[in-house]
Amino acid sequence: MLETMLSNLDGMVYRCRDDAQWSIEFISEGCVKLTGFQREDFMDEGRASLESITHPEDRLWVRKRIGVETAKKNRFEIEYRIVRADGEIRWVWERGVGIFSDKDELQALEGFIQDITERKQAEVALREAERRYRSIFENAIEGVFQSTMDGSYLAVNPALARIYGYASPEKLILGLSDIRQQLYVDPQRRAEFMRLMAQHGSVTNFESRIYRRDGEIIWISENARTVTDSIGKLQFYEGTVEDITKRKSHEAEMRHQATHDVLTGLPNRAMLNSHLQQSMQSAQESDSIVAVVFVDLDQFKLINDSLGHQVGDELLRTVAQRLSSCVRETDMVARQGGDEFVLVLPGQQDQASVTEVMQRILDVVARPWMIREKEFHVTCSIGVSLYPVDGRDVESLLKNADSAMYRAKEDGRNNFQYFSQSMDVQGDDRLQMLVSLRRALELQEFELYYQPKISLADGSLIGAEALIRWHDPVQGMIAPGKFIPLAEEAGLIVPIGEWVLRTACAQNKAWQDAGLSPVSMAVNLSPHQLNHDLATVVAQVLSETGLDAGWLELELTENVVMKDAEKTIASLNTLKALGLQISVDDFGTGYSSLSYLRRFPVDTLKIDQSFVREISNDLDSAAIVKAIISLAHTLNLKVIAEGVETTGQEQFLRENGCDAVQGYLFGKPMPAEEFLRLLQAS
Ligand code: C2E
Ligand code: CA
Ligand code: CA
């Protein structure tokens, strides 16, 4: 019975002597399955012994362990490898005991050996898996954590410690014991985290700002889930943490870049438009006014060109700051490009409050500013349009504020103009004037005055500028500054301009025919005329009047020349081909890039009066005038200064090599008869 019981055991039972070979006294049938040897093989010093089947590498320690334990009369329990009859290596577990004689001598060993290879392999696999996971945990770039519901950590990896600014995972677990209070910049995030966990059992890409150990604030993204036990009870949270600060700041930067001007940090045109749109909407609801303000620096161009871009940039930044300081939180100051700024002032109750802001802007911009220990002065011209009276969409409000700004420039700069008032003449008056203006040509109410141009080299009279005058039967003489803009708007400038051209050419030809020494005749052109097949008209007028093209000069303002440069270059080239002269009027007030200027077929730069006027009082203006003269000469252009009123100004211009002058000092614009006397005298 014992024999059957033993043979049914999964393993083998043995009794052996304590000799070198552990000679077997008994071995159960299980040895066949376990070792592949027959029972006989173990008997009588057969081909197998317990010693021989023990894996050679394990023999020594196995014997030693058994020796030690049995010496202490302990049971021994060991795991080691055996080599089966077929050479296969198996893991076995053995438990045994020493059998002692009455005299306490070790007589034999009895024990049981069982195959545990499968369990061993599973253990190894487990250890390997465990090692692998640990390695992922330890070496992950992402932070990994297990945390409790009450907000402390159970385990974290080195990456999380690094992200949160702790020297080691242990220090983090100790130091960060209240996640809600210590971690999140906004403690509400913890509540939100818990809520999502309760609701969905997980959070994904949960982005929050957190404090690092040193107090620095960073952005993290968490992915986490709840871990529950077998009966579904929540055990802890487990998740990963990624430091997304770089990405966040990059995103913010991209957003900022898309909506802001790099140089000044102000909102850009795109942002301005959407802001204005919103402002109009809320103005409609609250029945208030939105002011759209165009601010343009008066001397920027020249500062930029004469003192360099860095100074120009500095100036723009200064102006940006100053403008921002003039307005409320709800207002927007945007950079439109170049030296143009646009302000949107919503929620205005009346024009008076807007006027106050405009005055403030003029003052604050005009405050001197220092750069490189030098003091500079800039002024600006401002145009204002009001929603809803001057326009009901972004485009027309901007356009109208822009044209009001031009009016401010024409009005001598350093001032502001409201769009609706920019005509000086309003409402009925304006309409009335328009009616009269339409008939003025027919009724021959226009007259040309001529202003002399003088060569600084020898004081000789070299030319005339034709300037239009309107004798309105009711209002008397009206200055061109008042009606030319109206004529431009009403499309009347084309026929009027043609009349000026024809009259001036005919006059010049008449003087020449009368035997007077020939001079050049300058005619002012409006931008609108450029678009109307001007070259054909000019050619026709020249041939009709018989004036040689060389004695005709066309004056175009700087902004006209630079606007839509490619098209203008083409038109000017066609004009030049006729053989006439072209000059850039009001030079210095616009934005022409000097490198650009080179590409325009122009002959003369006309320094704007505002600089000439300030020559003796303002160092900047003097520097600007000098710069224009030397620039013009570098580009092989002639320079004429206009608005010369004093001998001091003349002196300065002469000393700095200016070619010619024009101004009250040499003669005001005068009727043809009067100019004739000048010609005769010269
Ligand atoms: P602009 O072409 O810059 O003409 C120079 C203006 O300065 C003229 O004013 C002239 O009288 C004035 N001026 C000349 N010397 C002096 C001076 O020493 N001191 C001062 N304070 N002013 C001086 P005006 O005649 O009133 O013309 C104003 C503007 O009207 C012109 O500026 C020009 O842009 C426009 N304009 C005049 N005639 C015509 C024309 O026939 N066609 C077009 N399209 N525009 C014209
Ligand atoms: Ca002119
Ligand atoms: Ca001028």
Side-chain angles (χ1 to χ4, degrees):
M1 194 174 86
L2 186 66
E3 190 75 5
T4 350
M5 257 172 69
L6 287 178
S7 62
N8 282 338
L9 259 182
D10 206 5
M12 69 180 192
V13 176
Y14 71 89
R15 181 188 167 100
C16 67
R17 283 192 294 277
D18 181 36
D19 59 19
Q21 285 306 312
W22 280 327
S23 314
I24 290 292
E25 291 178 351
F26 170 82
I27 195 155
S28 70
E29 186 63 26
C31 72
V32 179
K33 198 163 165 227
L34 186 72
T35 68
F37 289 105
Q38 298 301 315
R39 291 172 83 179
E40 302 79 60
D41 293 334
F42 286 97
M43 311 308 274
D44 306 326
E45 293 180 21
R47 58 185 194 108
S49 71
L50 286 182
E51 169 81 5
S52 76
I53 63 168
T54 301
H55 192 287
E57 286 173 16
D58 293 346
R59 274 176 206 159
L60 212 58
W61 74 262
V62 167
R63 183 168 288 276
K64 214 166 162 189
R65 269 287 291 287
I66 292 175
V68 169
E69 297 301 326
T70 48
K72 291 192 267 180
K73 300 210 171 145
N74 283 342
R75 258 210 299 201
F76 59 87
E77 188 173 330
I78 46 180
E79 288 177 8
Y80 61 96
R81 291 164 295 175
I82 61 166
V83 183
R84 281 167 52 95
D86 56 10
E88 194 193 343
I89 296 168
R90 305 290 292 181
W91 274 95
V92 296
W93 168 83
E94 175 176 348
R95 185 186 227 178
V97 64
I99 305 295
F100 293 87
S101 70
D102 298 343
K103 290 174 208 145
D104 238 8
E105 285 167 349
L106 181 63
Q107 288 188 317
L109 299 172
E110 284 179 5
F112 175 69
I113 301 178
Q114 194 180 14
D115 191 317
I116 56 160
T117 307
E118 246 106 82
R119 198 194 86 206
K120 270 286 178 196
Q121 277 167 352
E123 260 176 39
V124 169
L126 194 68
R127 253 203 317 278
E128 177 59 21
E130 164 70 31
R131 195 190 60 74
R132 217 176 287 145
Y133 283 119
R134 183 128 290 270
S135 157
I136 292 171
F137 181 75
E138 298 290 331
N139 299 314
I141 300 168
E142 283 193 331
V144 182
F145 67 86
Q146 286 176 339
S147 66
T148 62
M149 276 87 75
D150 58 12
S152 61
Y153 288 104
L154 296 170
V156 303
N157 70 344
L160 192 72
R162 199 169 52 242
I163 292 171
Y164 288 178
Y166 290 84
S168 68
E170 296 72 30
K171 292 223 164 88
L172 190 164
I173 292 170
L174 276 174
L176 188 45
S177 52
D178 185 345
I179 293 176
R180 194 181 86 87
Q181 284 300 333
Q182 289 176 271
L183 188 66
Y184 294 105
V185 173
D186 170 14
Q188 282 305 319
R189 291 305 281 165
R190 177 66 182 174
E192 177 67 5
F193 182 91
M194 304 280 280
R195 193 185 65 74
L196 288 169
M197 280 300 198
Q199 202 167 11
H200 308 292
S202 67
V203 299
T204 43
N205 301 327
F206 185 77
E207 300 184 350
S208 327
R209 287 175 351 120
I210 62 120
Y211 292 113
R212 295 183 83 229
R213 201 182 104 85
D214 58 9
E216 190 194 338
I217 294 175
I218 62 168
W219 273 98
I220 59 163
S221 167
E222 291 175 87
N223 285 286
R225 63 183 193 97
T226 54
V227 177
T228 51
D229 64 11
S230 52
I231 56 165
K233 190 166 168 296
L234 212 162
Q235 299 277 85
F236 52 83
Y237 301 131
E238 183 174 86
T240 59
V241 172
E242 193 187 345
D243 181 349
I244 56 166
T245 313
K246 272 213 186 90
R247 193 188 87 205
K248 277 283 174 189
S249 72
H250 185 67
E251 277 170 12
E253 200 178 314
M254 298 292 281
R255 238 192 336 270
H256 190 85
Q257 261 175 28
T259 52
H260 288 76
D261 166 53
V262 185
L263 179 67
T264 59
L266 291 178
N268 63 12
R269 197 186 299 235
M271 192 146 168
L272 171 91
N273 288 0
S274 70
H275 183 78
L276 180 51
Q277 194 73 48
Q278 282 167 16
S279 300
M280 289 191 303
Q281 242 155 40
S282 39
Q284 205 166 27
E285 285 151 22
S286 63
D287 215 18
S288 61
I289 300 171
V290 183
V292 177
V293 182
F294 236 91
V295 178
D296 188 288
L297 298 182
D298 293 329
Q299 298 86 352
F300 177 69
K301 177 69 198 34
L302 277 143
I303 287 181
N304 210 32
D305 286 339
S306 53
L307 301 172
H309 283 287
Q310 280 178 349
V311 176
D313 287 354
E314 185 108 346
L315 171 60
L316 290 177
R317 276 194 290 264
T318 306
V319 170
Q321 279 162 10
R322 291 187 180 180
L323 290 177
S324 303
S325 75
C326 290
V327 299
R328 304 161 304 176
E329 195 89 314
T330 46
D331 299 335
M332 177 178 273
V333 180
R335 179 160 175 234
Q336 182 81 347
D339 59 343
E340 287 180 347
F341 297 88
V342 175
L343 284 69
V344 175
L345 316 176
Q348 301 292 330
Q349 291 314 318
D350 52 28
Q351 197 161 311
S353 60
V354 180
T355 300
E356 236 169 75
V357 182
M358 296 311 105
Q359 196 53 58
R360 219 165 39 230
I361 293 176
L362 287 176
D363 292 347
V364 75
V365 170
R367 279 210 310 261
W369 59 288
M370 299 285 296
I371 186 158
R372 297 180 194 157
E373 282 155 25
K374 276 184 71 184
E375 200 179 83
F376 289 90
H377 298 264
V378 250
T379 53
C380 62
S381 301
I382 305 176
V384 189
S385 66
L386 301 174
Y387 171 88
V389 280
D390 299 333
R392 296 183 154 271
D393 56 87
V394 170
E395 202 181 319
S396 47
L397 283 169
L398 285 174
K399 195 186 104 229
N400 291 342
D402 185 46
S403 56
M405 186 273 291
Y406 273 104
R407 194 58 39 78
K409 290 249 184 231
E410 280 169 20
D411 243 57
R413 312 193 276 169
N414 195 19
N415 73 99
F416 64 91
Q417 297 289 331
Y418 281 99
F419 171 69
S420 49
Q421 297 178 342
S422 59
M423 294 305 173
D424 274 349
V425 187
Q426 276 182 297
D428 282 354
D429 281 0
R430 205 175 148 225
L431 210 64
Q432 187 53 52
M433 187 188 251
L434 198 58
V435 174
S436 338
L437 190 58
R438 278 191 207 289
R439 296 173 44 209
L441 255 188
E442 242 176 274
L443 300 177
Q444 302 186 349
E445 291 171 359
F446 293 122
E447 183 187 357
L448 287 187
Y449 273 30
Y450 301 92
Q451 187 177 28
K453 294 185 178 182
I454 309 293
S455 158
L456 269 182
D458 56 6
S460 65
L461 177 63
I462 52 170
E465 176 176 2
L467 293 156
I468 195 168
R469 298 292 179 263
W470 179 19
H471 302 282
D472 182 73
V474 188
Q475 299 202 31
M477 180 133 100
I478 302 175
K482 297 219 163 150
F483 69 86
I484 295 281
L486 188 63
E488 285 176 341
E489 228 170 81
L492 288 169
I493 195 65
V494 176
I496 294 177
E498 199 174 321
W499 176 85
V500 172
L501 185 69
R502 184 168 284 112
T503 310
C505 288
Q507 182 63 74
N508 203 17
K509 174 70 173 154
W511 285 330
Q512 288 176 10
D513 288 349
L516 297 155
S517 52
V519 294
S520 169
M521 175 63 74
V523 171
N524 291 287
L525 283 188
S526 273
H528 300 73
Q529 292 173 268
L530 263 192
N531 306 331
H532 278 82
D533 206 7
L534 185 64
T536 318
V537 175
V538 174
Q540 197 186 338
V541 167
L542 285 172
S543 84
E544 267 174 35
T545 58
L547 182 72
D548 189 295
W551 300 112
L552 176 62
E553 182 173 345
L554 300 178
E555 291 191 7
L556 285 137
T557 63
E558 184 184 3
N559 289 327
V560 172
V561 174
M562 291 301 154
K563 226 171 223 173
D564 201 358
E566 293 311 317
K567 233 169 102 188
T568 310
I569 291 175
S571 325
L572 294 188
N573 277 327
T574 344
L575 284 172
K576 274 302 288 180
L578 298 173
L580 46 72
Q581 302 279 302
I582 294 176
S583 56
V584 183
D585 206 353
D586 302 345
F587 190 77
T589 60
Y591 329 94
S592 36
S593 130
L594 296 181
S595 54
Y596 236 59
L597 203 53
R598 204 186 291 274
R599 302 180 46 211
F600 288 87
V602 299
D603 306 278
T604 309
L605 298 186
K606 264 190 112 166
I607 305 176
D608 190 58
Q609 335 191 342
S610 57
F611 302 112
V612 176
R613 199 176 304 138
E614 296 296 322
I615 279 177
S616 357
N617 328 332
D618 178 23
L619 284 178
D620 296 345
S621 292
I624 285 167
V625 169
K626 272 194 203 177
I628 298 178
I629 295 171
S630 79
L631 159 83
H633 289 158
T634 320
L635 293 176
N636 258 337
L637 301 175
K638 287 195 289 290
V639 215
I640 178 165
E642 64 180 330
V644 181
E645 294 180 351
T646 68
T647 45
Q649 291 161 355
E650 182 198 356
Q651 185 66 20
F652 179 91
L653 292 162
R654 190 192 306 279
E655 275 165 13
N656 286 286
C658 189
D659 300 298
V661 285
Q662 179 184 350
Y664 293 173
L665 183 64
F666 310 95
K668 291 194 170 182
M670 56 192 85
E673 317 84 77
E674 225 174 289
F675 196 85
L676 172 67
R677 284 198 286 280
L678 271 190
L679 274 176
Q680 286 165 336
S682 73

